Each structure stands twice: as structure tokens, then as C-alpha cells.
Amino acid sequence: MLFLLSFIGIAQAENPGIMSGKVVNKTTNTAVPYASIVIKDAGKIINGVVADDNGAFFIKNLELKKYTLEVEFIGYKKYTTTFELSTTKKTSKIEVLLEEDITELQSVDIVKEHSLIEQKTDRKIINVGKDLLSAGATAAEIMNNIPSVSVDPQTNAVSLRGNSNVRIFVDGKPSTVDAAQLLQQIPSTSIKQIELITNPSAKYNPEGMSGIINIVLNKNAKIGFNGSVNSGVTFGETPKTNSSFDMNYRNGKVNMYANYGLTTGKHHNYGNVETLEPNEESSQNFDFTNDNTAHLAKVGLDFYLNDTNTISIYTTQNINKENGRSEVIVDFPDTSNPGEIDLSKRITQLFDSKNDNYTQTYNLDYKKKFKKEGHTLEFEGNYSNNDNTENSVFSKPETNDITTKGENVLLNLDYTNPLTETIKLEAGLETRIENTKNNFLKDGDYNSNFNYERNIYSAYTTISKQWKKWNAQVGARFEKYTADALFKKVNEADGTFNDDLFTVYPSGFLNYAPNDNDSFNFSVSKRVDRPSIDQVNPIREWSTPLIDSEGNPELYPQFTNSVELNYTRKTKIGSITSGVFYRQINDEISRTLSENPTDSEKLILSYANLGDNNAYGVELSGNLDFTKWYSANISFDLYNKKTKGYVEMEYIEVDVTTFNSRISNTFKANKNLRFQLTGMYRGEDLGLQFLRKPMWKIDLGSSLTVLKGSGTITARVSDVFDTMNFSFDSTNPKIQTGEFHWESQTAYVGFNYRFGTGKNKAIQRKARDKNETQGSGGF
């Protein structure tokens, strides 16, 4: 509201009356900048402005009559007075003395007490609070508590709506770090919100069949100096720490902010696989430990040159170190003693690894606002790189030294112009230049390397129209994509991959709000999944006496056409959102097994575009406040998908429907103390080779607000009944059963402290930082 007031324009004749003044803190006698000033006549707003950096304001063109003056600012009590202009007193000047609101000042939270899930036109936003949803060590643990999202506890592979073809962004930018690794490097306390963008508009990069998951890191813009300190310990088999520090200083034209997060600890996983195939019985036991330390720092500066020009810069620095050890023991039955193990046949394999990853991101943003409200031009440049080294030792003995370097340059130019009060035009250009280099040494000697480059040049345009209760947007993204790769390996011919495509990605959104309580959202879009480096690498990845595994340089992208319909209903106790979606997948990339043309006794395990596919699902979620002391976040989803591929020599198609549900109950004992009971259920899932059994758990926790609202103590027990594990049954290619366990049952204690006297400035935040615009939104 404060921002809008500064642009109120009321058509009126030139009038001689003038009101001016200055807003001052009554206690400290210092200026209060950016307070909102409203002038009313008989309860109707006549004019309004926002005070400048020095608390001064000036309003002209007032009729000569009696008015009411209202002044408001966060952290202060509302100020109201009357004044009168006449032919003898055409000018009025006043000093507004604002009195601090002690109750409001005590609430200096940067982080919400309670995580809130919001359904927007084009996305679902999870505002991370200080409850059980966010109480964890890493981003991966938060993801597993979010509706529609699943994270494999063993591999950290992410899926959205049952599909692993999803893109992970940080602050709206793609990362050079693998998604599974990235989620382990981001402390949960450094996250402000997570956005699920299942049907993105033409503004977005079209990669990812199931959409985009955007992780927004903390950034604050309050006046003065303020921040927060977070620290927590998770007790499992060994303790694991999770800490962060956030601060910002905002004064006049400059806003400086910084946050630092640290996660450290040792993680233990174990499991077993039993092969029950007649005459091939065996038992494999796995034991994995991983000692991880991750540092994540973000430092930024916003410089408001004037009311129409803003320059912003920031950098993120990420250091991640891992030391892992695995042990695999394979046992076979003793044929002469049923039920016993033949120790003479036991196979033991040890594997030690050390992995160091350093990632840097540098961002520059310039935004120009024109005189017309909403008319903007914005340029953004983003550079990121990562340097990963892996040193591994096998029990043979054998050593592997792998170095991977990646660079990513992203340039954006975005233009927004409200052509009329109901029509808005958006257009933009984007350039992405990516390069990945890999070098592999085996036992100290050169083994292989590859260089992979891809360039993407894009232009998009969207136009939106609002009329009465309807809002529509149509757009298209035009993209030129090139990729070139050269793969080298000792004693093998060089392999190459080249791709050159021009594609148009259309999108459309339609929103209908018949009243304040009901909203319908319909959207369509086209997306793409391009072959990965591993999928196109023609050089053997590994070989056995019967099978060679290699990529297919003849692969081409798979395209997805998505349709989605959502309905949101606001009630007296909260909001409920239901939705359905359908995906048509063309030229789906799947695993294949074929005869080796140079050796008829061997097979080649590779990839191919196997044809078209379909997927659909329904979702239901709600934020409900049943009473003053009891509220709940509830979600249910049901997905159907088909999967195609080869197992051994057999071509298989599976059709499966999976059900998932989550519920988080919050009970407020009093103003400062609350309890939470959270449960989740993930239904069985059928793949090409195995049936994953259902998984479920229950978490219990509480939070206590202390230090007059500035501190929060959080405690929880995860997986109270120790039921969460991954277990499966398989009949193809062999009859097997198995299960894997991790440190799911843990206890957590954390403390959050907020400090400072800052108050929010009502300024227009950058669309790219906020990741939200009018209509369908965009970075």
C-alpha cells in the first residue's frame, strides 16, 4: 500500500491548497523515512504520498476546505489529525510526531513462526517458517516435507509430481552443481521460501518436464541494522550441526545484506538385497558413511540511485567437502548346510572417496522504472562456476581421480509496459553459455576426458489482458539451441555429439475470479528435456563380459505438452486448492538393450527415443485454521504414469498410480508456545525393475517464543516410530527383495534469535528477486 500511495494520480483541476511537513520519531526526534501520508475528505482518499529519505512530504493541488490527515508506518501507532485550508491560509505545514508501537516493535521476525503454503496463479509458494517443516539440516530435508515433491533418501534425486525431470534453481538461476549434491549443500536456515512452478510461462527456461523448483535464499530490506542467528543440532547416530547468520543494513539509498550457513556431520546408511532366483541365491549387505561439511555465504548490495534507477549486486560462495566410505559384502548359501553361509565364497569390496566442491556465483542487476506505473526495463548478468575434485580408492587396489569444471554465463534483458490499465506487454532476451570439462585419471594415468559446450539464445514475449473477473495471458518463447561435445578415452575412437535446434515454446494462462472467495486457474505450456552428457557419451562407461554401457549420440530432445487446472476456495477457516494436470510426452528418452553389432555374444545398454507417453494426476491442499488454537496444512495427491524400457532382452511397459498424503497439525497452547504433529505417507510405486513399497512416518515437535518475541526455541523428534525406510520387491531380471535404511529417527534442538530495530520500507522489490509478477509471474 505504501508503494502504491506514492503513485496515486487523481484527475483534478489545479487547486491552490498545499500541505507539507516532516515525520519524526516522537522519542528520538529523528526522521522517519518512507511513512505513508493520506489525505481524506469525508472518509474518501483524496491524495497520498510516501515521505522521502528525510521524512519530508509535500502535497499540492488541494481544494480550500477541511481535511483529515493520516500517517502510518510499520512499528508506529497510527497518527490522525485534521487541518483546514482557506483563502486566508492556503498552505499548511505540520510536524508529525509518531509514537512507537511497543507491541509491534517486539515482533522483529525476519522468519515467519509458521510455514505457509500459498497458491499463486502460476506457482505454489512455501514460505519457510521456524516449524517442523523447516527444522532440518539441509534443503533436501525440507523438500521431503513439501507437497508434490519427493527426495530419494539414498541418492537425493528429486521428483516433482512423480517425475524426476525437474530443474532446481537457486534465486531464480540454474546452478552448475548437480541437483542431488546442491540440496545437501544448502542449510535449511538459509532458505526464505521454495517455489513449485509446475507450468511456467514463456518467461522461463523451458527445461524440465515436470517444472521448476526454485529455492529463494534469505534477503532482507528493513530500515536500519537487523538480522538473525540460527543454530541447531540433530541427534542421530552422531550429532549434526546446522547454523546460519543473516544480517542487513539499510540506510537511505543503500541496502547491504549478508548471510552465512554451515552444516556439518556424519551420515550413515545401510541396507541389504536378497537374490531369491533359484540356483542364484545370494545376500548383499551395504554400509555407507559420509562425513560432510558445507559452507554457504551470500553477500549483496542494493543501491537506489534515485526513485527510478536501482543497481544490485550479490555473490554466493559455496564450499562443500565430503569424505565417504562404503563396504559391500556378498555372501552365498552353503549348499551342503542349508541355512548357512559359505564363508569361503564371501566377497568384500571397500571404497573410500574424498570429494571437494567449490561453487561461485556473481550477479549484477540494473533496473530502470519509467514515469508510467509498472513500466520497467531490467538487465541482469549472472556468472557461476564450479570446481569439483574426486579422489577414490577401491580395495583392488585401484585409484580414480576425477576433476570436473563447469561455467555458466546468463544474460537477461526484460521489458514490461502496461499499454493500458488492463493490457500489459512483457518481452525479453536471454543468452546462456555453458561449458563442462571432465578429466579422469585411473591409477595415476590418463584414462578419459570430455568437453561439453552448449549455447542457448532466447527471446520471449507475453501479453496479458484483464477484463472484469477474467485475466488472461498468452506468450511464446523462441529458442535457438546448440550443443557440441568431444569425448576421448584411451584405446577407443573419439566420440562426438552435436545438436542444433530452433524451437518455439508457447504458453497460456486464464484466471477467473467470480468473487473474492473463488478463483480458477487454467494453464498450458510446452517444455523440453534435452539429453544429458551421460546419455549422449558414445564411449563405454563400463563393461562386463556380457554388457557394455554407453550413451547414444543420436538422441534428440523429448518434448512435453502440459495442461493444468486449479481451483482455490477461500473460507472462514482458510483456503483450499484442488487441481488436475495432464502431460503428453513426445519422443520420451528411455533405457534400451540391444545386440552389439561387432560382437553377437554381447549386448549394449544405452538410451533411445522410444515414442510417446502420457501422465496425469490430481492434487488437493489446504491451509486451515479450525480454531484459534488449532490449524493444519493438509495435502493429498494421486499420480498416474507410464514407463517404457528394456530389462535384459525384454521390452517392458508399466502403468502405475501412486498416492501420497501429508498433514501438519499446529496446536497453540498460548501466545508463545505451540506444538506440532506431522505425518506423511508415500504410496507404493512401480518401476521397470521393482515395486517400491509404501513409506510413512510421524514427527512430533514444539516451538517456544522467548526474549519478548525476539527468540524461538524449536525441538522435534522425527520418525517417532522409526518406520521410514526404502524397501522393494523385484521379479525382473531376477527375483529379489531388499531394503535400505538411513538415520530417519532423530531428535533436533534449535534456537533462532532476531535482532535490530529495522522497519520494512515499502519499495517495489525487483521482480527477479521476488520471483513474482502480476499475472503469471516470472523471474
Side-chain angles (χ1 to χ4, degrees):
M1 177 181 177
L2 294 173
F3 172 69
L4 294 176
L5 288 175
S6 64
F7 291 93
I8 290 178
I10 302 176
Q12 55 185 323
E14 187 72 24
N15 292 303
I18 296 174
M19 161 57 73
S20 63
K22 185 175 182 179
V23 184
V24 177
N25 183 308
K26 184 177 181 180
T27 303
T28 64
N29 201 34
T30 57
V32 178
Y34 319 118
S36 65
I37 295 93
V38 173
I39 293 180
K40 293 183 177 181
D41 179 15
K44 181 181 178 181
I45 297 178
I46 302 300
N47 209 333
V49 298
V50 174
D52 64 17
D53 290 358
N54 299 314
F57 63 91
F58 183 86
I59 303 173
K60 61 180 181 178
N61 295 331
L62 297 174
E63 294 184 33
L64 302 180
K65 59 194 303 184
K66 188 174 183 178
Y67 296 98
T68 298
L69 176 72
E70 295 181 356
V71 181
E72 290 184 273
F73 192 66
I74 295 174
Y76 292 90
K77 295 180 180 179
K78 183 178 179 179
Y79 178 92
T80 303
T81 189
T82 59
F83 68 96
E84 186 173 0
L85 301 175
S86 64
T87 54
T88 59
K89 186 182 179 183
K90 298 179 181 179
T91 300
S92 181
K93 189 172 184 178
I94 186 174
E95 183 180 56
V96 178
L97 300 177
L98 289 187
E99 183 179 351
E100 293 182 353
D101 188 335
I102 302 302
T103 302
E104 191 167 352
L105 283 176
Q106 287 178 352
S107 180
V108 295
D109 288 8
I110 295 173
V111 184
K112 296 179 181 295
E113 289 289 339
H114 182 53
S115 291
L116 181 65
I117 302 174
E118 301 178 71
Q119 180 67 50
K120 297 294 186 181
T121 302
D122 70 327
R123 74 196 63 197
K124 186 176 291 181
I125 299 177
I126 295 85
N127 294 296
V128 177
K130 299 190 295 293
D131 51 18
L132 287 179
L133 178 67
S134 61
T138 65
E141 293 177 314
I142 292 184
M143 290 286 189
N144 245 337
N145 289 316
I146 293 177
S148 308
V149 178
S150 297
V151 179
D152 187 305
Q154 300 294 319
T155 65
N156 286 314
V158 184
S159 61
L160 177 61
R161 288 180 168 174
N163 191 286
S164 59
N165 287 313
V166 59
R167 293 298 177 265
I168 306 295
F169 285 2
V170 178
D171 287 330
K173 317 298 185 306
S175 173
T176 55
V177 181
D178 177 72
Q181 185 179 14
L182 181 67
L183 295 181
Q184 289 296 314
Q185 296 178 10
I186 301 178
S188 61
T189 50
S190 294
I191 299 174
K192 176 185 177 183
Q193 64 186 31
I194 296 174
E195 301 177 335
L196 308 182
I197 311 170
T198 52
N199 223 10
S201 72
K203 263 193 170 184
Y204 296 83
N205 186 288
E207 293 179 338
M209 179 193 301
S210 56
I212 297 169
I213 299 177
N214 183 41
I215 301 173
V216 183
L217 301 180
N218 287 325
K219 176 185 175 181
N220 193 23
K222 290 186 175 182
I223 300 300
F225 177 76
N226 50 83
S228 68
V229 178
N230 300 272
S231 185
V233 180
T234 299
F235 297 93
E237 293 184 19
T238 57
K240 305 156 188 61
T241 62
N242 176 24
S243 303
S244 69
F245 173 76
D246 303 287
M247 57 81 57
N248 86 280
Y249 176 72
R250 167 84 167 135
N251 187 14
K253 297 181 180 296
V254 177
N255 177 59
M256 296 179 290
Y257 60 92
N259 58 65
Y260 167 75
L262 169 67
T263 61
T264 181
K266 182 180 292 186
H267 301 264
H268 179 221
N269 302 326
Y270 65 95
N272 66 83
V273 175
E274 301 286 338
T275 300
L276 307 177
E277 191 79 11
N279 302 318
E280 296 185 39
E281 294 91 342
S282 67
S283 174
Q284 301 179 70
N285 292 282
F286 305 87
D287 193 89
F288 310 101
T289 58
N290 184 60
D291 196 350
N292 174 271
T293 299
H295 307 264
L296 175 65
K298 181 178 181 180
V299 179
L301 172 70
D302 300 320
F303 187 58
Y304 307 95
L305 301 173
N306 49 44
D307 290 340
T308 60
N309 295 276
T310 303
I311 294 178
S312 301
I313 58 174
Y314 75 78
T315 179
T316 57
Q317 304 288 322
N318 194 329
I319 300 174
N320 185 64
K321 295 181 179 293
E322 296 181 4
N323 289 291
R325 181 177 178 82
S326 67
E327 181 182 62
V328 181
I329 298 176
V330 184
D331 284 319
F332 301 90
D334 189 338
T335 55
S336 60
N337 295 297
E340 299 295 326
I341 295 173
D342 188 345
L343 295 178
S344 64
K345 296 181 179 180
R346 170 172 285 184
I347 301 174
T348 301
Q349 182 184 57
L350 300 177
F351 171 70
D352 292 287
S353 67
K354 180 180 180 182
N355 194 307
D356 294 337
N357 186 278
Y358 180 35
T359 306
Q360 308 172 76
T361 299
Y362 301 92
N363 184 277
L364 169 67
D365 185 281
Y366 167 73
K367 186 170 186 178
K368 168 70 176 179
K369 294 189 294 183
F370 299 95
K371 290 183 178 180
K372 182 167 48 174
E373 165 72 5
H375 188 191
T376 62
L377 179 68
E378 184 173 8
F379 169 78
E380 181 180 31
N382 191 85
Y383 170 78
S384 62
N385 67 68
N386 76 289
D387 188 347
N388 180 276
T389 59
E390 178 183 342
N391 308 109
S392 306
V393 179
F394 296 84
S395 55
K396 286 186 178 181
E398 177 183 298
T399 62
N400 290 338
D401 296 315
I402 304 172
T403 301
T404 304
K405 296 180 182 292
E407 289 186 311
N408 189 329
V409 176
L410 178 65
L411 302 175
N412 276 295
L413 184 66
D414 295 302
Y415 176 73
T416 303
N417 188 358
L419 303 177
T420 68
E421 290 185 357
T422 60
I423 300 177
K424 182 175 67 172
L425 171 69
E426 296 179 272
L429 301 171
E430 181 181 271
T431 296
R432 290 174 60 188
I433 302 173
E434 302 176 357
N435 177 268
T436 302
K437 296 180 180 180
N438 175 280
N439 188 58
F440 178 28
L441 300 179
K442 185 174 182 179
D443 290 330
D445 296 322
Y446 166 76
N447 183 79
S448 66
N449 70 67
F450 66 77
N451 184 53
Y452 181 83
E453 296 181 0
R454 71 174 190 170
N455 300 326
I456 305 173
Y457 305 98
S458 307
Y460 76 87
T461 182
T462 66
I463 188 164
S464 58
K465 166 69 175 176
Q466 185 173 0
W467 69 99
K468 295 182 179 179
K469 299 177 180 180
W470 295 84
N471 184 23
Q473 175 183 290
V474 293
R477 188 178 185 93
F478 309 89
E479 195 167 86
K480 172 70 170 178
Y481 167 78
T482 62
D484 296 283
L486 176 63
F487 302 92
K488 291 178 174 290
K489 190 169 185 178
V490 173
N491 299 325
E492 294 188 20
D494 293 348
T496 61
F497 171 76
N498 304 99
D499 213 347
D500 192 338
L501 293 172
F502 176 80
T503 313
V504 179
Y505 299 93
S507 64
F509 297 82
L510 182 65
N511 181 70
Y512 173 61
N515 51 59
D516 292 339
N517 295 323
D518 298 282
S519 177
F520 297 85
N521 299 300
F522 176 77
S523 61
V524 295
S525 69
K526 179 179 180 178
R527 301 189 61 75
V528 65
D529 283 289
R530 302 183 176 101
S532 67
I533 297 175
D534 294 335
Q535 291 174 332
V536 300
N537 187 347
I539 299 177
R540 285 200 310 267
E541 181 183 11
W542 51 262
S543 179
T544 71
L546 297 178
I547 298 177
D548 291 332
S549 176
E550 60 186 49
N552 177 11
E554 302 301 321
L555 281 181
Y556 44 88
Q558 65 179 28
F559 294 94
T560 302
N561 297 304
S562 298
V563 180
E564 187 170 334
L565 175 64
N566 290 295
Y567 166 63
T568 300
R569 169 69 177 176
K570 295 181 181 178
T571 69
K572 292 182 179 180
I573 62 172
S575 64
I576 300 174
T577 297
S578 56
V580 296
F581 71 90
Y582 171 77
R583 289 196 294 254
Q584 180 191 47
I585 308 160
N586 299 321
D587 300 317
E588 184 173 25
I589 298 174
S590 300
R591 274 289 200 180
T592 61
L593 196 65
S594 58
E595 183 177 301
N596 192 323
T598 61
D599 187 346
S600 60
E601 295 183 357
K602 298 191 70 173
L603 302 174
I604 294 178
L605 181 65
S606 188
Y607 301 87
N609 298 91
L610 288 185
D612 301 338
N613 211 338
N614 299 294
Y616 58 87
V618 297
E619 297 176 327
L620 177 68
S621 62
N623 297 308
L624 304 173
D625 296 318
F626 294 104
T627 67
K628 292 183 178 179
W629 55 269
Y630 171 51
S631 62
N633 288 333
I634 304 171
S635 68
F636 304 92
D637 51 68
L638 189 71
Y639 308 131
N640 177 272
K641 64 179 180 178
K642 295 179 180 179
T643 306
K644 305 175 183 178
Y646 282 88
V647 178
E648 295 288 336
M649 294 292 293
E650 183 181 0
Y651 175 76
I652 297 176
E653 293 187 16
V654 296
D655 190 329
V656 62
T657 299
T658 301
F659 171 75
N660 305 294
S661 65
R662 291 177 174 86
I663 180 170
S664 176
N665 304 278
T666 300
F667 306 92
K668 298 179 182 178
N670 54 46
K671 179 181 178 181
N672 298 319
L673 178 63
R674 68 180 65 200
F675 298 93
Q676 282 189 299
L677 178 65
T678 301
M680 66 84 68
Y681 173 84
R682 188 178 300 167
E684 68 178 25
D685 189 14
L686 180 63
L688 290 179
Q689 293 183 270
F690 59 81
L691 172 72
R692 190 204 69 201
K693 297 180 181 179
M695 308 165 67
W696 66 277
K697 70 169 183 172
I698 292 177
D699 299 339
L700 180 64
S702 64
S703 64
L704 176 66
T705 301
V706 296
L707 302 176
K708 297 181 179 181
S710 295
T712 302
I713 300 172
T714 303
R716 69 128 201 271
V717 176
S718 295
D719 196 6
V720 175
F721 301 105
D722 199 16
T723 54
M724 192 73 168
N725 64 76
F726 177 94
S727 56
F728 71 92
D729 289 328
S730 174
T731 57
N732 199 336
K734 297 179 181 180
I735 301 175
Q736 293 180 315
T737 184
E739 61 181 42
F740 288 86
H741 298 260
W742 57 95
E743 296 178 64
S744 178
Q745 188 179 61
T746 60
Y748 171 86
V749 178
F751 177 68
N752 172 264
Y753 175 71
R754 286 84 61 198
F755 59 88
T757 57
K759 305 173 180 66
N760 289 314
K761 176 187 175 183
I763 58 174
Q764 182 183 23
R765 300 297 298 274
K766 297 186 306 173
R768 287 193 180 278
D769 176 64
K770 193 176 181 181
N771 296 313
E772 183 180 331
T773 60
Q774 299 174 10
S776 296
F779 292 133

